[in-house]
């Protein structure tokens, strides 16, 4: 009979503790802290995410009901509603933002062998944002419109592994295109985005950085054809493949070079899309495939909203909101790390999270929990259920 650590402790063992300690010291997170450390705060909030708790009171009630196991979970000091609430409101959210980046780097290394396609060996990223609505009466600092508040979650998602490599939380009024100013561009990488990021000056920055982009062309932007490219694909769905440049003088001054315009008909629904790129080597069908893969970032947003606690917030100031979001991201990445380390590719993140949610206090071996001969988990065939990694 297994008599080692409980499941929650085994999951948390996959967290690099030394980097976490250095980050806590950097921001004086445990300054004058006697009973409830940043580590205990993180573990309590991660427990809430893993087990889908509805509030801080819910988290505290569940943990205190298992008081004799808190030490084995790695939680030291008094777990109380007051301690957890004050920690979320006052401890610097950047502790958990930087630690999430540590986990992201670990996950990216584990998925380094995954490539978008045989034609593209360089990194491929999808950019997008999602709006999270908030009550103005509870979050007056998050003013968005007259009747409601909101924040915006900007995300750079690596494809095909769906690991968020960069996240920025801003006011909902913050325009999406400004997110491009914060990116550290990688030479050779591909950045796929929708037409909301269409800005000639910012796109030219991507080009001068040695990176590539794929986006959709806005209808009101005038481009002039210089010449047509030879057909490098027999696909009848490629309607045209042209080298173009900005017709208006002010637009050309912002992007003083040529662009590639691909007009493509989707074989599934017959809709025609016009893509814009600065890559002239890939087949036109690959350009279309890159843009189609951007849908994974939409699935990422739907997944975390559906399965993690980022729509209902446990604290009402900006620090508490950002702390909760970053710990939720950390839990998402941690489950992705577990999936890779335990070689559970046959299971989706949703299935792994569901199993963990009902077994945090069990004294079972984590590997055995998913590989036991009696454990049979059917594939999720519900078309209404969003499922990452099974696209």
């Amino acid at each position: 009979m297994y008599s080692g650590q409980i499941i929650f402790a085994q999951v948390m063992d996959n967290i690099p503790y030394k980097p976490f300690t250095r980050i806590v010291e950097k921001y004086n997170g445990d300054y004058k802290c006697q009973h409830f450390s940043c580590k205990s705060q993180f573990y309590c909030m991660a427990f809430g995410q893993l087990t889908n708790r509805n509030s801080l009171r819910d988290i505290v009630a569940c943990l205190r009901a298992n008081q004799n196991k808190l030490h084995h979970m790695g939680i030291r000091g008094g777990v109380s509603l007051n301690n957890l609430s004050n920690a979320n409101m006052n401890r610097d959210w950047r502790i958990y933002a930087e630690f999430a980046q540590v986990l992201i780097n670990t996950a990216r290394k584990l998925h380094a062998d995954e490539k978008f396609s045989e034609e593209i060996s360089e990194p491929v990223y999808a950019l997008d944002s999602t709006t999270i609505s908030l009550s103005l009466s509870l979050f007056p600092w998050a003013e968005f419109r007259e009747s409601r508040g909101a924040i915006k979650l900007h995300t750079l998602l690596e494809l095909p592994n769906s690991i968020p490599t960069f996240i920025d939380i801003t006011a909902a009024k913050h325009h999406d295109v400004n997110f491009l100013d914060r990116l550290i561009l990688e030479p050779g990488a591909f950045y796929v985005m929708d037409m909301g990021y269409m800005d000639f000056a910012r796109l030219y920055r991507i080009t001068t950085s040695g990176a590539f982009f794929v986006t959709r062309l806005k209808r009101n932007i005038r481009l002039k054809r210089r010449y047509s490219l030879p057909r490098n694909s027999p696909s009848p769905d490629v309607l045209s493949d042209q080298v173009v440049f900005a017709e208006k003088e002010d637009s050309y001054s912002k992007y003083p070079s040529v662009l590639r315009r691909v007009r493509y008909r989707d074989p599934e629904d017959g809709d025609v899309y016009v893509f814009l790129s600065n890559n002239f080597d890939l087949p036109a069908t690959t350009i279309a495939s890159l843009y189609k893969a951007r849908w994974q970032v939409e699935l990422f947003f739907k997944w975390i909203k559906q399965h993690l606690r980022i729509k209902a917030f446990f604290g009402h100031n900006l620090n508490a909101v950002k702390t909760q979001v970053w710990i939720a991201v950390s839990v998402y990445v941690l489950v992705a790390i577990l999936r890779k380390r335990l070689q559970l590719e046959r299971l989706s993140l949703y299935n792994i999270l569901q199993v963990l949610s009902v077994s945090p206090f069990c004294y079972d071996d984590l590997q055995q929990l998913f590989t036991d001969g009696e454990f049979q988990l059917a594939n999720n065939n519900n078309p209404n259920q969003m499922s990452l990694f099974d696209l």
Side-chain angles (χ1 to χ4, degrees):
M1 181 177 179
Y2 184 79
S3 59
Q5 294 177 303
I6 61 175
I7 291 296
F8 183 84
Q10 294 176 67
V11 172
M12 292 298 113
D13 277 349
N14 287 270
I15 288 178
Y17 188 61
K18 287 184 178 179
F20 183 80
T21 303
R22 288 196 298 267
I23 295 170
V24 171
E25 292 175 351
K26 175 181 176 181
Y27 293 102
N28 295 319
D30 287 336
Y31 179 66
K32 291 186 177 180
C33 175
Q34 298 180 358
H35 304 294
F36 195 68
S37 66
C38 287
K39 179 186 174 184
S40 294
Q41 178 194 2
F42 180 86
Y43 277 25
C44 289
M45 293 297 289
F47 172 83
Q49 294 291 344
L50 283 171
T51 59
N52 205 25
R53 299 297 97 195
N54 294 316
S55 65
L56 293 184
R57 193 179 301 276
D58 195 1
I59 294 173
V60 171
C62 289
L63 291 175
R64 296 184 74 170
N66 295 273
Q67 189 78 32
N68 61 328
K69 296 181 180 178
L70 294 185
H71 182 81
H72 302 287
M73 295 175 69
I75 299 175
R76 309 289 189 268
V79 175
S80 69
L81 182 62
N82 186 61
N83 283 344
L84 189 53
S85 176
N86 287 337
N88 289 344
M89 291 177 63
N90 299 313
R91 290 181 186 164
D92 200 322
W93 62 270
R94 291 176 294 179
I95 295 172
Y96 308 104
E98 290 194 16
F99 182 61
Q101 197 61 52
V102 172
L103 294 176
I104 287 169
N105 293 337
T106 300
R108 292 187 68 189
K109 291 177 182 177
L110 291 172
H111 291 82
D113 58 332
E114 299 180 14
K115 302 298 180 183
F116 181 81
S117 68
E118 293 182 359
E119 298 171 305
I120 303 174
S121 58
E122 296 80 5
V124 177
Y125 301 103
L127 284 74
D128 210 344
S129 68
T130 187
T131 300
I132 301 174
S133 298
L134 301 173
S135 169
L136 271 180
S137 60
L138 297 177
F139 305 87
W141 49 267
E143 184 177 356
F144 178 38
R145 292 174 182 165
E146 185 177 350
S147 59
R148 70 185 182 99
I151 59 172
K152 189 174 283 188
L153 193 66
H154 306 266
T155 302
L156 182 70
L157 195 75
E158 187 171 14
L159 306 178
N161 54 47
S162 295
I163 299 297
T165 60
F166 182 72
I167 291 177
D168 192 20
I169 302 170
T170 68
K173 293 181 178 180
H174 196 77
H175 198 281
D176 288 353
V177 76
N178 296 318
F179 181 59
L180 292 174
D181 298 332
R182 301 216 45 209
L183 294 183
I184 300 176
L185 300 170
E186 298 179 34
F190 285 82
Y191 295 88
V192 187
M193 62 203 94
D194 65 16
M195 63 180 68
Y197 295 88
M198 184 72 201
D199 180 271
F200 279 118
R202 291 176 170 90
L203 293 180
Y204 192 62
R205 174 175 170 258
I206 296 177
T207 300
T208 55
S209 299
F212 302 103
F213 64 83
V214 176
T215 185
R216 279 184 66 189
L217 183 63
K218 289 183 177 179
R219 292 184 178 180
N220 62 344
I221 293 180
R222 306 282 296 180
L223 298 175
K224 191 170 183 179
R225 184 180 71 89
R226 177 163 290 181
Y227 59 89
S228 294
L229 291 169
R231 288 285 184 118
N232 54 10
S233 172
S235 173
D237 298 311
V238 179
L239 304 181
S240 65
D241 191 357
Q242 302 170 337
V243 173
V244 298
F245 60 93
E247 187 173 359
K248 292 185 178 180
E249 185 176 345
D250 60 335
S251 298
Y252 186 78
S253 65
K254 295 176 181 176
Y255 199 104
S257 185
V258 293
L259 290 156
R260 184 183 185 183
R261 181 174 61 189
V262 175
R263 185 172 281 105
Y264 180 81
R265 181 178 55 223
D266 191 336
E268 296 180 3
D269 54 25
D271 291 342
V272 175
Y273 299 91
V274 182
F275 305 119
L276 199 65
S277 179
N278 63 339
N279 183 281
F280 299 89
D281 298 324
L282 293 175
T285 51
T286 303
I287 298 293
S289 298
L290 279 167
Y291 189 82
K292 187 176 182 179
R294 191 196 65 83
W295 182 247
Q296 288 193 40
V297 73
E298 302 283 356
L299 293 183
F300 168 76
F301 289 139
K302 291 181 180 180
W303 197 96
I304 62 174
K305 285 182 176 181
Q306 190 173 4
H307 303 304
L308 297 177
R309 288 295 169 182
I310 65 166
K311 292 179 68 177
F313 290 98
F314 304 157
H316 296 154
N317 71 348
L318 179 60
N319 194 83
V321 168
K322 288 191 173 184
T323 295
Q324 184 172 331
V325 169
W326 280 112
I327 293 179
V329 171
S330 297
V331 169
Y332 170 88
V333 178
L334 181 59
V335 174
I337 290 172
L338 281 174
R339 183 176 184 266
K340 197 71 174 179
R341 286 179 173 171
L342 299 179
Q343 299 180 350
L344 302 175
E345 282 79 2
R346 66 189 178 89
L347 303 179
S348 68
L349 288 185
Y350 169 76
N351 289 331
I352 296 172
L353 189 62
Q354 289 298 97
V355 172
L356 293 177
S357 70
V358 296
S359 53
F361 300 111
C362 295
Y363 283 95
D364 294 313
D365 179 69
L366 184 60
Q367 181 78 55
Q368 196 69 17
L369 186 67
F370 296 100
T371 58
D372 195 309
E374 298 179 359
F375 175 70
Q376 298 292 332
L377 189 56
N379 289 330
N380 179 20
N381 295 318
N382 183 356
N384 295 320
Q385 174 64 57
M386 292 300 174
S387 179
L388 267 72
F389 293 87
D390 291 333
L391 300 176

